[in-house]
Every structure is written in C-alpha cells, then in structure tokens.
Amino acid sequence: MNDCLISQQRKAIRKHIRQVRQNLSPQQQFEAEKNITQQALHFIMQKKARRIGLYLSFDGEISTKQLIEKLWQHESEVYLPLLHPFSPHHLLFLRYQENTNLVKNKFGILEPKLDVRNVLPTEKLDIIFTPLVAFDKQGNRLGMGGGFYDRTLQNWQQKNFVPVGLAHQCQQVDALPTESWDIPLFTILSA
Ligand SMILES: Nc1ncnc2c1ncn2[C@@H]1O[C@H](COP(=O)(O)OP(=O)(O)O)[C@@H](O)[C@H]1O
Ligand SMILES: [Mg+2]
C-alpha cells in the first residue's frame, strides 16, 4: 500500500475513534476506570514493578486517576511525561507526587513543571503505560499523530521497561495500518 494511502487511513481511524471515545457517557467512563485500575494493579504486581510511567487522561482517554491514587498509597513511584524542552517530539519523565505543580503544555495536557531534580532517565522505569487512540490485537498503537511514544519506546526490548497501552474496548480495530517507525506495545489492557 502506498504511504499516502496509509497516512490517510490512519487519519480517518484517528478521527473516528476519537469521536467514539468522546461519546462515552460519564457512567461508562467511571466503570471503565474501575476496571482498568484493577487490571493495571494486577499487571504491576505480577511484574513487581515500582517505577511506573503514566499519563493524565485527556480527550476521553481512559482515566488513570484512581490508579495513580492507589499507586501513591502503595508507595510506588509515579512518573508523568513532559514535552522535552529542546528535543522536539521527545518526552522526559518526571516524578509525580501529590504536591507536584502541574501546568498545561501546548496541547492543553497537564504536565509537571520541569525541575531536573525530578527527572528519571526513561530506561529506569519498570513499566510505561501509554495512552493511545486506537489499537489492534497485534499490539499496534495509533497515537495522536506526534510519534512521541514511538520515539520513547524505540528498542524497548533491550531496556528495563515494558510498554503497556491502556484503552477503552471501543478503541480496538481489526488491523491498524502501520508505518515503519511505529513501535508495537508489549500488551494493551482494555476495559
Ligand atoms: N523515529 C520516529 N518515530 C516516530 N515518528 C517519527 C519518527 N521520525 C519521524 N517521525 C514522524 O512523526 C510522526 C509520527 O506519526 P504517527 O506514528 O502517525 O503518530 P502516532 O504514533 O502519535 O500516532 C510522523 O509524521 C513521522 O514522520
Ligand atoms: Mg506511531
């Protein structure tokens, strides 16, 4: 398939699934959050993971709020991505605690204020839970279009962390058209 067609298909899937996701009711969102929290905690315990990369939900993404609160109670370390200040399209991970100041980035997503003392090299994370727009059963991931996680997850098999997607079931598609730079996830938990 030619590249232009793939890119058009990906854009169409992105638009469609974002719409479906935004149309989930508050009740559906609430049930999904409860369910995904249990699945994620189970996965974290199985992996004996302590340093957890997470994200703050946006645009109807499955909520990570309960999960983060549980991790704080269990004394796990939670890290959030921040747009890299001088390396475009790259992410940095910063410690997220109850007293962390959050600011909106250029996409309107909350992120911790840059403070080098709170940065953890990505390789030191045990799990990176990623948001996504669409996924398929092969573990392929479609994001918002910036390729941020593709860059973060490059060669993850040779690193310490495993990348795990979190999603609503309605975000699954049969087969995502992929590009050469797309990095498949280890697994996707959905609810
Ligand atoms: N190593 C890379 N990884 C990911 N994206 C890259 C890379 N190098 C360049 N890009 C560009 O970043 C964009 C990522 O697109 P895409 O994978 O569709 O986004 P997303 O993964 O957020 O859905 C593309 O325009 C691509 O050309
Ligand atoms: Mg991609």
Side-chain angles (χ1 to χ4, degrees):
M1 212 185 315
N2 80 42
D3 287 354
C4 184
L5 191 54
I6 292 183
S7 155
Q8 279 176 12
Q9 288 182 337
R10 285 160 66 90
K11 276 197 188 132
I13 296 170
R14 198 175 276 125
K15 191 170 166 202
H16 172 66
I17 303 282
R18 284 185 67 186
Q19 193 67 57
V20 170
R21 193 173 62 179
Q22 282 165 11
N23 286 338
L24 290 169
S25 68
Q27 184 62 26
Q28 286 170 314
Q29 283 284 0
F30 176 72
E31 294 297 330
E33 176 175 21
K34 271 199 301 190
N35 185 319
I36 208 76
T37 301
Q38 292 314 313
Q39 290 191 53
L41 287 172
H42 186 74
F43 187 88
I44 290 165
M45 282 193 296
Q46 253 184 353
K47 290 272 173 205
K48 298 188 171 46
R50 208 171 61 83
R51 294 167 156 178
I52 317 291
L54 263 162
Y55 61 91
L56 295 178
S57 321
F58 163 81
D59 192 51
E61 286 166 354
I62 197 158
S63 173
T64 54
K65 196 162 176 274
Q66 270 187 19
L67 176 58
I68 291 173
E69 278 160 14
K70 296 258 191 234
L71 291 174
W72 281 341
Q73 287 164 17
H74 288 89
E75 320 233 318
S76 300
E77 294 180 14
V78 178
Y79 293 83
L80 292 179
L82 173 132
L83 302 178
H84 198 291
F86 27 76
S87 184
H89 298 283
H90 282 80
L91 299 172
L92 279 178
F93 281 86
L94 268 77
R95 181 80 186 269
Y96 180 41
Q97 292 173 288
E98 280 182 277
N99 60 357
T100 302
N101 281 327
L102 296 172
V103 283
K104 272 193 184 170
N105 66 22
K106 64 176 179 183
F107 299 114
I109 302 173
L110 288 170
E111 57 179 37
K113 258 178 103 159
L114 181 56
D115 179 335
V116 288
R117 292 169 299 183
N118 297 333
V119 174
L120 185 77
T122 308
E123 309 80 68
K124 297 209 165 149
L125 289 165
D126 298 319
I127 301 177
I128 298 182
F129 286 109
T130 83
L132 55 88
V133 176
F135 67 100
D136 65 19
K137 59 176 180 301
Q138 315 301 332
N140 292 310
R141 170 185 184 277
L142 183 76
M144 292 288 274
F148 288 91
Y149 281 96
D150 290 321
R151 292 179 181 82
T152 302
L153 304 180
Q154 270 174 19
N155 302 314
W156 64 262
Q157 288 87 346
Q158 282 127 55
K159 298 182 182 164
N160 181 52
F161 64 80
V162 287
V164 177
L166 297 179
H168 294 285
Q169 262 149 22
C170 63
Q171 292 171 249
Q172 181 163 4
V173 300
D174 280 346
L176 272 178
T178 55
E179 303 269 22
S180 56
W181 57 77
D182 281 320
I183 309 285
L185 302 171
F186 174 71
T187 192
I188 291 121
L189 306 179
S190 66

